[in-house]
Amino acid sequence: MTNYNHWFIRARLKTRQLLLLVALAEEGNIHRAAQVLNMTQPAASKLLKDLEDVLEVPLFDRLPRGMRPTWYGETMIRHARVALASLNQAHDELTALKAGRFGQVSVGAITSPGLALLPPAVAMVKREQPDLRVSLEIETSPVLIERLEQGKLDMLVARLFAEHDKSQLRYEALSEEPVCALVRPGHPLLGESGLTLRDVVGAGWIVPPAGSVLRHRFELMFQEEGLAPPTNTIESSALLFITRMLQQSDMLAVLATDVARYYAAHGIVSLLPLDMPCHMDQFGIITRTDRLLSPAARVMMKALKTASMSVYGRKLEMD
C-alpha cells in the first residue's frame, strides 16, 4: 500500500512556496520576487519563514542587498523547479488530450546524433502519431543535462561526464563518436596519399574552443606523435561558420564524422583521408529515474531505440 504520509502533506506545503523559492533564486531580492508573484512583501516573507520553520533549516542568507540561497536552499530550489515543471507538463498534456492531440515530447541531443539518429526516429514517430508535438534542442551535454534535471526535457541523446550526478539518471549506451578532418572540395591535400599528422601540423585549422574535450584530445593527438599542436587556429563550434570558412580557404577543420558526412553528402566539404585517433567519448540515451515517461515520451523512446539499430547497429532493450 502506498504511504501518503509525506512530509509535504504534514507541512501543508503550498505551490506558492515553490514559486517563491524559484522567484527568489532568479530575482535575488524578496521585494522583486513578491512583485513577480503579485503578492505583498510581508506575505512573501511569511511564506518563506513558514517553510524554513517546517524544514528547520535556513533556505536563504539575508544579505544587505538581497538574498542568497544556502546549500539547503539550493536543494529545495532545484526540486521546486522540477515539481513546477512537472505540473506544467501535466497541464500541457491534459490540454493536448482535450484538444484531440496525443501530447508532446521534448528531446535534447548533441550534434552528431541530432543529425544521424533524431531525423529517422522523429520521422517514425510522426508516421505513427502525426498529431504528437515534438520539440528538439541541439546543445552540449552539460547544458542538456541541466535542462533534463530542471524538467524542461524528457530525454537526451548525450554524454555523461565524471562531474555529473548520476544518482537519478538512467544511461543506455549507443555509440562512440569518431572524428575526422575536413576541407573544401578541390583542396590540394585531397590529391595526396598516405597523409600523416606531420603533413598537416603546419596547416591552418578550425578547432573546438579551448577547454573542450575534443580540443584537448586534438592537441594530445599531435603531442603523442612528438609534434607541437597547430598554432594557426580559429576557435569555433559554429557549424555554419566552419563550413563557410572552409569553402573560402585552404584551412582544415576537426569535426564529428557523422556531422562531416552530412555536409560532404551535400557537396559542401570533403573528408580528408587522414587518420584522426582523437575520437570522442561514448554517448547514449539519458532519462531520469525519478520521473515516469509520458505516453508521448514512451513513443519517442521506442522510436529512438528502433532507429539506433539501423544507425549504430546497437540493439537496445525495449521497455
Side-chain angles (χ1 to χ4, degrees):
M1 180 179 289
T2 304
N3 176 19
Y4 291 102
N5 190 28
H6 298 295
W7 74 268
F8 49 82
I9 296 174
R10 297 194 304 274
R12 294 188 173 88
L13 183 70
K14 302 176 180 68
T15 308
R16 286 178 78 75
Q17 286 173 312
L18 300 180
L19 291 165
L20 178 60
L21 288 177
V22 174
L24 278 169
E26 292 176 354
E27 300 296 332
N29 177 292
I30 196 156
H31 177 68
R32 288 198 300 271
Q35 283 183 324
V36 167
L37 297 176
N38 198 26
M39 65 172 71
T40 65
Q41 183 172 326
S45 298
K46 184 176 187 311
L47 277 177
L48 178 60
K49 184 178 183 306
D50 288 347
L51 185 55
E52 289 180 321
D53 288 346
V54 165
L55 296 173
E56 299 179 338
V57 291
L59 298 177
F60 288 85
D61 289 325
R62 277 68 171 174
L63 306 173
R65 292 190 176 182
M67 302 176 73
R68 181 178 60 205
T70 63
W71 279 11
Y72 304 114
E74 292 281 5
T75 300
M76 278 301 296
I77 289 162
R78 178 162 51 88
H79 287 286
R81 287 187 198 277
V82 171
L84 292 169
S86 186
L87 288 172
N88 270 330
Q89 188 179 29
H91 180 263
D92 290 345
E93 283 185 33
L94 288 172
T95 302
L97 289 169
K98 284 195 294 184
R101 297 191 302 271
F102 187 80
Q104 68 178 52
V105 59
S106 300
V107 188
I110 54 176
T111 306
S112 182
L115 277 172
L117 178 64
L118 267 296
V122 172
M124 200 179 302
V125 167
K126 296 302 280 186
R127 280 196 300 271
E128 294 178 13
Q129 299 288 346
D131 294 330
L132 191 154
R133 288 187 295 159
V134 178
S135 63
L136 173 65
E137 289 189 33
I138 305 291
E139 260 296 356
T140 61
S141 292
V143 171
L144 293 173
I145 286 171
E146 182 181 358
R147 290 178 184 168
L148 181 71
E149 288 173 344
Q150 292 172 351
K152 294 177 180 176
L153 294 170
D154 296 304
M155 65 194 68
L156 313 177
V157 185
R159 294 186 184 86
L160 273 180
F161 296 117
E163 64 268 23
H164 292 138
D165 179 4
K166 303 169 185 65
S167 59
Q168 292 184 326
L169 298 176
R170 181 187 294 106
Y171 176 81
E172 297 176 86
L174 283 177
S175 175
E176 285 189 335
E177 188 172 25
V179 301
C180 66
L182 56 155
V183 294
R184 65 171 175 82
H187 192 285
L189 287 177
L190 289 171
E192 301 288 331
S193 59
L195 279 176
T196 67
L197 292 178
R198 189 171 296 277
D199 298 319
V200 297
V201 69
W205 281 86
I206 305 174
V207 295
S212 66
V213 175
L214 182 54
R215 176 67 176 278
H216 169 69
R217 293 185 181 178
F218 173 79
E219 294 180 345
L220 199 61
M221 176 179 70
F222 284 94
Q223 290 168 341
E224 287 173 347
E225 291 291 315
L227 302 167
T231 55
N232 177 9
T233 60
I234 299 172
E235 293 186 8
S236 179
S237 57
L239 292 172
L240 288 176
F241 169 79
I242 292 169
T243 51
R244 190 63 174 155
M245 191 70 197
L246 289 180
Q247 288 180 309
Q248 298 183 358
S249 71
D250 279 343
M251 296 194 81
L252 288 69
V254 57
L255 213 59
T257 302
D258 278 344
V259 179
R261 283 178 180 154
Y262 171 80
Y263 286 106
H266 290 80
I268 297 170
V269 298
S270 295
L271 275 63
L272 197 64
L274 171 70
D275 184 33
M276 296 278 285
C278 58
H279 64 79
M280 292 291 287
D281 291 340
Q282 188 183 73
F283 58 81
I285 300 174
I286 305 172
T287 52
R288 292 176 59 108
T289 57
D290 59 341
R291 291 187 67 187
L292 293 174
L293 291 177
S294 68
R298 287 200 298 273
V299 171
M300 176 57 76
M301 177 63 76
K302 181 183 175 185
L304 284 173
K305 291 183 175 183
T306 301
S308 69
M309 185 62 194
S310 58
V311 175
Y312 303 117
R314 181 65 65 97
K315 185 175 176 62
L316 298 178
E317 185 178 328
M318 296 289 182
D319 294 332

